[in-house]
Amino acid sequence: MNEPNRPVFLCIEGLDGSGKTVQCGLLADALRQAGKRVFLIDFPQYESPLGREIGRFLSGRDETANADSVDAKSMCLWYAADRWNALKNVDFSQYDYVVFNRYTLSSAVYQTARRYGGVNEDFIQWVFSLEHGVFGLPEPDAYLFLNTEIAGCAENLTHKGERTYVDGLDLYERSQSLLVCCREIYLHCAEVYENVHLVPCTGPDGLLPVDVIHRRVMETLAAAGVCL
């Protein structure tokens, strides 16, 4: 499947509050315990110059330029540039696995939702072409969408710790209608793209325990043939 010296690229995706950061950490730990060399990175990179601008947009502090008012294609460019800047000097040949906490699919989903209020395949393809074609960013072997209910994510958002770019929730996290639309687009992508996989994360009592979700992540990757 992979070119010589090319690692397996994996990405955990999900709605705001779905537990992506926790699951990325557990996935990276499991791979390292298996003796694999792992590079783990979160996007956006809020401490970088480009990431700080994205954080400023998301915070909503600047009424003249924020994540609600900046057009969708411009936001995609900011996210793509942030990823390119963070990865441009990484020697991927030194790793067996690369794990992304959010990646290109996030821009495709969230900005499509903002611009069209639903699925628009042309715009989704434009985002992929921008990041993988124009910027030359690696395409993941597997995206894992943590399939959660909006209510469970909203509850998790209230427990988020302090973040450098915003006090409380950012503009996207505050919009329940946006999250509903994003979930619809993620589900569409799982039907259309072979490298997008669903990980069921809810049961009768809401969000499943973290360890159960982690087990489902590993099982999904194994079934896709891209992990242990």
Side-chain angles (χ1 to χ4, degrees):
M1 175 184 294
N2 294 310
E3 303 165 5
N5 299 320
R6 180 189 186 276
V8 176
F9 291 93
L10 306 175
C11 179
I12 300 289
E13 292 277 349
L15 301 178
D16 298 292
S18 60
K20 295 180 298 298
T21 300
V22 171
Q23 292 304 322
C24 280
L26 291 174
L27 172 58
D29 288 345
L31 292 170
R32 289 179 180 130
Q33 289 170 12
K36 304 301 181 182
R37 301 168 300 168
V38 180
F39 179 77
L40 170 64
I41 187 168
D42 300 341
F43 288 113
Q45 290 276 285
Y46 288 116
E47 301 305 319
S48 73
L50 292 166
R52 282 195 293 272
E53 287 300 302
I54 293 172
R56 182 174 68 87
F57 293 149
L58 289 171
S59 73
R61 294 179 185 133
D62 186 343
E63 294 183 0
T64 63
N66 61 59
D68 281 341
S69 63
V70 175
D71 71 275
K73 283 194 172 183
S74 294
M75 286 300 296
C76 287
L77 286 167
W78 280 103
Y79 284 110
D82 177 55
R83 282 189 265 277
W84 174 83
N85 186 59
L87 299 176
K88 64 183 178 183
N89 294 321
V90 177
D91 182 359
F92 290 122
S93 69
Q94 299 302 306
Y95 300 98
D96 301 305
Y97 287 88
V98 174
V99 178
F100 298 126
N101 179 1
R102 286 203 185 280
Y103 196 57
T104 305
L105 185 59
S106 282
S107 283
V109 168
Y110 275 75
Q111 300 310 318
T112 299
R114 285 188 60 231
R115 180 163 181 162
Y116 295 101
V119 174
N120 185 290
E121 193 61 39
D122 288 341
F123 193 81
I124 292 171
Q125 283 297 316
W126 181 86
V127 177
F128 290 152
S129 296
L130 172 71
E131 296 213 5
H132 304 313
V134 176
F135 280 90
L137 296 170
E139 185 172 357
D141 297 282
Y143 280 106
L144 297 185
F145 172 61
L146 302 180
N147 190 13
T148 55
E149 299 296 332
I150 304 297
C153 292
E155 174 65 22
N156 277 355
L157 285 173
T158 63
H159 301 301
K160 277 203 170 185
E162 183 178 350
R163 292 173 290 176
T164 58
Y165 75 95
V166 68
D167 297 321
L169 303 182
D170 68 35
L171 292 180
Y172 292 171
E173 294 167 343
R174 295 174 204 166
S175 176
Q176 290 292 293
S177 61
L178 179 68
L179 295 180
V180 169
C181 185
C182 287
R183 184 170 184 267
E184 172 193 335
I185 298 171
Y186 271 121
L187 295 177
H188 162 81
C189 289
E191 291 183 355
V192 172
Y193 299 103
E194 291 184 355
N195 67 335
V196 181
H197 308 275
L198 298 181
V199 179
C201 297
T202 57
D205 299 320
L207 277 174
L208 296 170
V210 167
D211 60 324
V212 174
I213 296 174
H214 170 62
R215 185 168 63 249
R216 291 189 173 185
V217 165
M218 300 304 291
E219 291 169 351
T220 301
L221 288 171
V226 293
C227 202
L228 302 174

